[in-house]
């Protein structure tokens, strides 16, 4: 088994009693910091580790996960801050093809002069195409985060069944 290190965002800061209930549910390998659980979970895969933590969170009434890891969606300014060694202007030049080898990842969303990119895609491109020394982003974290956020939206709008059906059709 491998020990996986990741964070889960909760819908709110747990009370003392809820923190005890999380511990009793089996989350003794996670520490609570505000509305975040920082986990070191042994499992065969990262997805298995995340799934087991999500299941245990749901045993505590009133608490649920709203995200996994750090948000993947970034502006070029956000990406520059995460990178720490490139400026927003440098990333903009790479994104527009004014510099670099071309092929910079396309935005996930473009609206009202704002482009939102995937940090996982940008960091991978910068590492492989530009030789930047930045850590990789585990794609399983990105997928799990998207799934949790989708589940939260479906829950808020009481559309869990419809979203589940669309997922089955789409796959």
């Amino acid at each position: 088994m491998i020990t996986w290190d990741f964070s889960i965002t909760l819908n709110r800061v747990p009370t003392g009693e809820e923190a005890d209930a999380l511990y009793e549910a089996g989350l003794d390998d996670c520490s609570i910091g505000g509305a975040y659980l920082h986990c070191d979970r042994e499992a065969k895969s990262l997805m298995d580790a995340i799934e087991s933590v999500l299941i245990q969170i749901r045993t505590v009434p009133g608490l649920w996960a709203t995200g996994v890891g750090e948000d993947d969606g970034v502006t070029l300014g956000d990406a520059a801050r995460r990178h720490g060694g490139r400026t927003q202007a440098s990333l903009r030049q790479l994104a527009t093809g004014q510099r670099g080898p071309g092929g910079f990842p396309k935005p996930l969303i473009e609206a009202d002069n704002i482009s939102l990119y995937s940090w996982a895609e940008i960091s991978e491109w910068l590492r492989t195409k530009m030789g930047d020394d930045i850590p990789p982003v585990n794609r399983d974290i990105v997928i799990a985060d998207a799934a949790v956020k989708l589940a939260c939206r479906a829950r808020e709008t009481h559309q869990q069944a419809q979203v589940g059906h669309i997922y089955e059709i789409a796959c």
Side-chain angles (χ1 to χ4, degrees), residues 7-171:
S7 296
I8 303 277
T9 306
L10 299 173
N11 60 310
R12 61 180 169 74
V13 175
T15 66
E17 289 149 359
E18 290 169 334
D20 291 343
L22 289 169
Y23 182 82
E24 293 296 321
L27 294 167
D28 55 337
D29 56 354
C30 300
S31 61
I32 300 172
Y36 298 94
L37 290 178
H38 305 284
C39 304
D40 293 310
R41 176 65 52 110
E42 280 192 18
K44 291 180 190 176
S45 71
L46 178 55
M47 286 292 207
D48 289 339
I50 293 168
E51 179 183 338
S52 66
V53 169
L54 295 174
I55 289 168
Q56 291 170 328
I57 291 169
R58 290 305 306 247
T59 65
V60 180
L63 289 180
W64 60 85
T66 60
V68 178
E70 197 170 12
D71 282 337
D72 184 52
V74 294
T75 64
L76 292 177
D78 297 330
R81 282 186 288 283
R82 285 192 190 179
H83 185 286
R86 287 196 178 267
T87 64
Q88 181 176 353
S90 167
L91 292 176
R92 187 177 306 109
Q93 289 174 331
L94 292 169
T96 59
Q98 293 173 320
R99 290 185 49 222
F104 192 86
K106 301 283 185 219
L108 300 172
I109 299 170
E110 290 184 283
D112 298 330
N113 295 326
I114 296 175
S115 297
L116 193 65
Y117 295 83
S118 164
W119 172 242
E121 291 176 8
I122 289 176
S123 64
E124 178 69 19
W125 188 88
L126 289 169
R127 206 173 29 268
T128 60
K129 302 294 185 193
M130 300 299 292
D132 290 8
D133 185 22
I134 54 175
V137 175
N138 192 311
R139 296 280 178 130
D140 288 350
I141 292 282
V142 174
I143 292 167
D145 183 58
V148 166
K149 286 183 171 140
L150 176 61
C152 287
R153 285 205 165 152
R155 180 179 186 207
E156 289 168 2
T157 59
H158 307 288
Q159 294 179 316
Q160 296 98 317
Q162 293 90 345
V163 169
H165 185 66
I166 288 171
Y167 174 79
E168 290 173 11
I169 292 168
C171 294

